[in-house]
Amino acid sequence: MIICIVVAAVLLGGGLYFYLHYKTTTEEQPKVMKYEDTTNPTAVQKTLDVDSNTAGQLVKQIEYIHDGTILPEATYSVTASTLDDAATKTAQQIKSNDASLPAAATEKTDRTVVTANTDQQKVDVYKINLRNNHKIKAGVLYADDKAYAGVGYQAGRVEAMVYMSADGKKAGAVNYTVKEW
């Protein structure tokens, strides 16, 4: 009986490991999108496999890039017969971690989007990190004529803070972000 449980646990653990590895690897692979689709939340959601809220935030950031509000970190020239071929070649170079690419293009991120920008005759590479949502916080709370110094941690929408006053009294708070904009 114990052997069966151990074998089942090992198989389940191994299966879970390989599934998570496959999912992470496929998410990190560069995706080639049409330039027009980068401003369409539905297309971004489908191509990058993200929720609708995240897709909306990504489209907003990509629009800032299109407007020139956010400037590129690096530029790179690639020789190809068409702009679509250049985008495909760039995606393959990113996938193979080609040393001739700028470091910003081969940087490890959650998602990479490569698109042929026909308006400006160039290929755009968007590096997207969705997992950078952990924050360490510090603050001060003033209650009942006492000041409390606090330290906390935020992961996604949940935030927890612990406070301590000079006389040793302790307090705590847990918050949840209902809406972000």
Side-chain angles (χ1 to χ4, degrees), residues 58-174:
L58 293 175
V59 165
K60 186 176 179 181
Q61 292 301 314
I62 290 171
E63 286 174 346
Y64 288 146
I65 294 168
H66 289 182
D67 294 342
T69 306
I70 300 173
L71 298 175
E73 290 185 30
T75 57
Y76 169 77
S77 297
V78 61
T79 305
S81 57
T82 67
L83 207 51
D84 289 332
D85 289 343
T88 303
K89 183 177 179 181
T90 302
Q92 290 170 346
Q93 287 178 309
I94 292 169
K95 185 176 180 178
S96 65
N97 207 16
D98 190 330
S100 65
L101 288 173
T106 57
E107 172 187 17
K108 282 282 193 191
T109 57
D110 299 339
R111 308 288 196 291
T112 300
V113 175
V114 180
T115 183
N117 182 340
T118 54
D119 295 344
Q120 298 178 357
Q121 292 298 304
K122 66 178 184 170
V123 173
D124 291 335
V125 177
Y126 305 110
K127 304 300 281 187
I128 302 163
N129 268 322
L130 301 173
R131 296 184 192 135
N132 291 345
N133 60 353
H134 299 277
K135 299 172 184 148
I136 296 178
K137 300 190 166 199
V140 176
L141 169 71
Y142 187 77
D144 292 331
D145 293 329
K146 292 186 182 193
Y148 296 82
V151 63
Y153 172 75
Q154 181 177 351
R157 293 180 172 224
V158 177
E159 174 184 357
M161 294 286 292
V162 177
Y163 299 94
M164 181 177 262
S165 68
D167 61 0
K169 291 189 178 180
K170 298 173 188 159
V174 176

